[in-house]
Amino acid sequence: MDEISITVRQAIVFGSKAHAEQLDDAGKDYFMTHCWQVYEIVKILYPDDFALQTAALLHDTLEDTDTTYEMLVAIFGADVADLILEVTHERKEDDTGWYFPHLHSIRGIVLKFADRASNLSRMEGVWNAERIEKYIKKSKFWQSEDM
């Protein structure tokens, strides 16, 4: 078994409890199918960045659970909490999809790409064509004023 940091182990327990009873669109355990897959993608790209791996496991906690930013800081530290905040949308859409006003760092963008890759890999046969098309269109999740 791969070496897993104590923080990552804590995130597995915390995330599975926070997302308990949540199912994905295919009716599977949300944490184990989506959050775990995002973690596995990030772990390949950043095998020694345990804070980023921890954030991958917990990336949807601010959006989809009762977890607060302050709780994440207290339990996992500011680096992990800030990464999760970066990939958390503000529940409002613009013309390209959900708005991610905090997304700015390379690590945050990698985490968001892993999240999107996981979502894209799990939608065929589950989502209808219109929903897939809308998701692909809104997958432009950050922009620079310089672009």
Side-chain angles (χ1 to χ4, degrees):
M1 185 168 132
D2 294 333
E3 180 181 326
I4 299 177
S5 81
I6 292 170
T7 306
V8 170
R9 289 182 193 275
Q10 283 180 290
I12 293 167
V13 172
F14 185 94
S16 63
K17 286 180 183 176
H19 290 286
E21 309 299 321
Q22 290 180 358
L23 303 176
D24 70 4
D25 291 330
K28 296 178 181 174
D29 179 281
Y30 183 80
F31 181 78
M32 291 308 298
T33 55
H34 176 60
C35 300
W36 191 267
Q37 187 177 43
V38 173
Y39 161 71
E40 290 290 342
I41 293 167
V42 166
K43 190 169 78 165
I44 290 167
L45 299 172
Y46 286 81
D48 299 320
D49 189 339
F50 297 120
L52 184 56
Q53 292 172 25
T54 299
L57 287 161
L58 303 174
H59 75 277
D60 277 338
T61 54
L62 292 177
E63 286 179 17
D64 298 339
T65 75
D66 293 338
T67 304
T68 66
Y69 174 81
E70 292 76 20
M71 289 169 66
L72 292 171
V73 170
I75 299 168
F76 298 101
D79 188 27
V80 170
D82 288 348
L83 284 164
I84 295 166
L85 184 61
E86 274 195 61
V87 299
T88 300
H89 63 71
E90 291 194 340
R91 300 244 180 256
K92 61 183 178 182
E93 288 188 83
D94 59 19
D95 59 342
T96 61
W98 291 110
Y99 180 57
F100 297 92
H102 305 287
L103 188 58
H104 68 275
S105 73
I106 291 172
R107 291 162 73 222
I109 292 168
V110 167
L111 177 54
K112 193 67 201 166
F113 271 124
D115 177 32
R116 291 292 165 125
S118 172
N119 289 338
L120 289 165
S121 75
R122 297 175 313 106
M123 65 177 55
E124 285 187 301
V126 178
W127 292 11
N128 65 34
E130 182 180 332
R131 187 174 178 200
I132 290 172
E133 183 178 331
K134 182 179 179 185
Y135 188 83
I136 290 170
K137 181 182 176 190
K138 75 177 187 175
S139 286
K140 180 181 176 188
F141 47 79
W142 87 88
Q143 67 184 29
S144 168
E145 292 180 21
D146 299 334
M147 295 176 123

